[in-house]
Amino acid sequence: AVQGVQAGVTEGVRHAAPGLEALARFGYASKGVVYGTIGLLALNLALGRSGQVTDSQGALTRIHDLPLGGLLIWLLVVGLLGYALWQLLRALLDPEEQGNGPKGLLKRAGYALSGVTNFGVAYFAYRLATQAAVTAGGSSQKDLARQVLDWPGGQILLGLAGLVMLVVGGVQVANAVGGKFMKRVALHDFAARHAETVRRVGQAGIAARGVVLGAVGVF
């Protein structure tokens, strides 16, 4: 029965594929805008300008303060929802055929976690778009860590979470060095003529994200 339901959902997704593909592409672009804003703010800080180290919520707040920021935030609401939906589809329907083995299930669990997290980011963007002022929860990670430490065995749980982050960061760095991500990139026209540049940019970005995740794991 479960297989039948999954087959029916998969068939429905296949019929809606053009729209879903466009939404997923827009979602990746929106996620890129948020990460790019975080990077620019950090770069300005490193250069001694008026920058800051922030997270997705802080980046969205800065975007909202730009001219036409309200319109940009609405676009990002749609895009981030699309990204979150695509991550959940990757987890539930397994269009990339990761399989049901330990490695495949671990990846799909990561997709599901990413989907839930990005729904939260999209909701924060929605609140920014509909309310006059919203405060970014900059200390939420610290608060969560404190709460975990208060649990029975909290030190062990927090340590395990740190180890998981270290492993994920290491895997991303290895993925960047080996260029494995390129097998999921469909190069057409302009990108095909600049495949090596695309590869180098991807290596730099994924390696940087891996280093950041590793640092989070250490702390």
Side-chain angles (χ1 to χ4, degrees), residues 87-179:
Q87 291 294 80
L88 291 179
L89 288 174
R90 292 173 79 190
L92 297 175
L93 300 182
D94 194 20
E96 298 169 352
E97 298 182 351
Q98 300 288 353
N100 295 319
K103 184 178 179 181
L105 289 176
L106 182 61
K107 285 186 176 182
R108 292 168 66 182
Y111 298 154
L113 179 61
S114 174
V116 172
T117 301
N118 281 284
F119 269 121
V121 177
Y123 177 66
F124 178 82
Y126 171 76
R127 290 173 60 204
L128 271 179
T130 56
Q131 300 179 27
V134 177
T135 302
S139 62
S140 58
Q141 293 87 349
K142 294 181 181 179
D143 294 338
L144 178 60
R146 292 192 189 100
Q147 291 175 14
V148 172
L149 284 174
D150 291 336
W151 296 351
Q155 278 187 306
I156 296 175
L157 291 174
L158 199 61
L160 289 174
L163 287 174
V164 169
M165 295 294 286
L166 276 171
V167 171
V168 173
V171 169
Q172 291 208 348
V173 171
N175 185 18
V177 172

Side-chain angles (χ1 to χ4, degrees), residues 6 11 18 25 35 64 102 120 132 140 154-155 190 206 210 219:
Q6 186 178 29
E11 184 65 22
R25 286 175 179 270
Y35 271 103
H64 185 260
S140 58
Q155 278 187 306
F190 177 84
I206 295 175
F219 287 117

